[in-house]
Amino acid sequence: MRLEVGKIFINDIRFGESTYVENGVLYVNEKELIDLFIEDERIKSAKIELAKPGESIRITPVKDVLEPRVKVSGGGTNFPGVVGNKVKQVGEGRTHVLSGAAVVTVGKIVGFQEGIVDMSGIGADYTPFSKTLNICVVIEPAEGIESHAYEAAAREAGLVVTNFIGEAGRNLEADEIEVFETKGILEQAKMYPDLPRIGYVCMLQSQGLLHDTYVYGVDAKNIIPTLMNPTEFMDGAVISGNCVASCDKIPTYLHQNDPIIEELFEKHGKEINFMGVIITNENVFLADKERCSDGVAKLARLMDLEGVIITEEGYGNPDTDLMMNCKKVEQNGIKTVLVTDEFPGRDGKSESLADAVKEADALVSCGQGNIVITMPPMDKVIGTLEDIETMIGGYDGSMKEDGSIEAEIQIIISATSAFGCNKLTARMH
Amino acid sequence: MVKEIERSGIPVVHIATVVPISLTVGANRIVPAIGIPYPLGNPNLEFKAEKKLRRGLVEKALKALQTEVDGQTVFE
Amino acid sequence: MSKLKVVHYINNFFAGIGGEEKADISPREMQGFVGPGMALDKSLGDEAEVVATVVCGDSYYAENLEKAEADLLDMIKKYDADLFIAGPAFNAGRYGVACGAIAKAVEEKLGIPSVTAMYEENPGVDMFKKDLYIMTTGNSAASMKKAVSKLSAFALKLAKGEKIGTPEDEGYHVRGIRTNYFHEKRGAKRAVEMMIQKANNRPYVTEYEMPDFGNVTPMPAIMDLSDKKVALVTSGGVVPTDNPDRIESSSATKYGIYDISEYDSMPADKFTTIHGGYDRTYALQDINRVVPLDVMRDMEKEGVIGELADYYIATTGTGTSVGNARGFGEEYSKKLLADGVQAVIVTST
């Protein structure tokens, strides 16, 4: 599959009479966006608020972050198979990206897992989304709504709004165009015969409420490992329905901008032959973990890979999936590099993972999520602070009188996401 | 926690879904549970059947306590 | 500006009192520096001075851990020191352990920054590296000069509250503490670079080595359960509805002990689960799916087990550090024993 990704650089967001882009500024119209989903009975009311890098703004509880994109040609729509979009194959042709902008869904917590994005201060250093121009969709759920319904309503609103905004990029001229291509396996292998054949094993969170991910609209709990072209991710084939623990979360934005895929393509044809992606899930049954890790190893072997990079979403029991994937792939003579984050306790003295295998001898760390920091008060809050102390990373006394928050960095969206999007890491002292 | 209980001198059995974690962290008597959100249950069964399932798992756990082990053992 | 006050700990040998035959001497104090304390004092320069030296025999300390510590702390207290330095102990095992023990006690109980130094094979390193900074040294007093200069340079940094660097930069033994920092390259880039190295059979360095959690000897089997008292413990985060102990949804810093004596089954209106790592829907429908009180109570009535404890113990398993979990287990096991509990079933999600 061959995909041209055209980036339209957005350097400011403002409210306007309608939704369009002019001279690098993205204008959005509040009513237009809200009308897209306000008829949904599950939602009582909503508003749109804007947050820009450097502003004294705290956005919380954050459910997902998405990037506005549009399929200009090649078949299908961005986010295939969800919110009424037809299920069509994506990953080919041309896609435009409103680069620098993001849609953030916000609202009272569904569970404990939503998190914070600070646009300035020390909290901003830990999240990639303090650097994006954020269009916040702030939702108030209907009275007495059941949690699964609320989660779905917020997720769908985010998808629909993001696609609508993405449309503004359809007829624009891209500022920068990059081409990504993955050929059929045999042809791809022959293209760079002297370079090691490397694949990417992407583990998707799939453990239930606020722990789900969707592939072409299919709940990832129900998949068995399968192959994907890297470009399918760029067209929103994989979307997030989870918050896991905020620091670990792979928001839809990061599935669309997968840093491992970006870095693998950087070296593609130069030092490696990037053969493709294997996706798998992280289910709550031991039998599923065994079945899927067997599947991952089998596919890696079928693709005749020499090495795979494996990323994990979440911590705790998915560490077992990670280790099973690693062990079985290595036992098939294929080399592995694991990417994950660590939870060795606030003092850093405990073991960082819940499971371990001796084959895991090459690991990249995205930092430890238990350290406690104090984030200064912000002038404006988009959303609400009332849930901070029950959110993961928060505790009794986290919310200070002056508005500052003392909590583990677990509470910050994508602070330690095991995709390696950040520079945070950990070492032994 | 399981190891500390054992270290203090009380026989202990761990009913857990993610057996590999229980093994890695060092529990000695392990009984595999049903699923992470419902280790001793199954919402797909009707109540009586589910309770019977739960009883069966706890009986297995008690049996594990009554079995000599010389190292880590999973009681399937 | 007045000089920082340092109290120095050494053993019988370095104090010039005697060799092995004097290893049984009890703690004593002397004014100013003694033995290697002179070099230490000089090395500290104008910023600090050794105001007192406390001494203890290596064997005495080993055989009288609590008393030695208590007596020494009493002596050290009064100097109102800014810094405490023990050793260097090089490869002397009992001395190294004593240095580690007293330095740890001074830091924890008197709040004075403490540091010691010893050779990598000294058992004191493994025992105390997580609690203290332990500078590396050669394996004998032949390297005293170097050890002293290293100790004093680092000690001053500690006392002044300056930022401490990596073990490699500063010269202390790796402590086993995972510490965050911002790399110049993002994780994904480092992962691809590591993959290229590994795929080409070139050397690479893992950013985290797999841990060994350690094992414990299994308790012997219980022959007859029908007269035994059994207790339930869970990591599934099941707590009374209002979460009175405010146990966290992840990274728990506490556990709770909750009464179930009046229930034959876990009542959904009295209990809930606050565990953030799994879909709680099913547990909330029937909490017995995580804490199997209903079947345990049946078994108690039928005489399969002698008695079910009046309470169960709970915490949240996800994100909770092994260190914390170990601490909970150690603490509540004492209560379980005191209450005559003879077997425990732990349930985990």
Side-chain angles (χ1 to χ4, degrees), chain C residues 9-20:
Chain C
Y9 172 85
I10 52 178
N11 71 358
N12 45 291
F13 173 76
F14 286 100
I17 295 173
E20 196 50 42

Side-chain angles (χ1 to χ4, degrees), chain A residues 207 283-286 289 316-317 320 324 354-356, chain B residues 17-21 24-25 32 34-38:
Chain A
Q207 307 208 336
N283 274 3
V284 299
F285 302 102
L286 191 57
K289 292 178 189 299
N317 80 76
T320 290
M324 281 183 179
D355 202 352
Chain B
T17 305
V18 197
V19 171
I21 291 182
T24 298
V25 303
I34 305 298
I36 287 169
Y38 35 88

Side-chain angles (χ1 to χ4, degrees), chain C residues 42-60:
Chain C
K42 191 149 179 247
S43 193
L44 288 166
D46 294 327
E47 296 186 77
E49 61 182 346
V50 177
V51 300
T53 305
V54 288
V55 182
C56 185
D58 288 341
S59 301
Y60 184 93

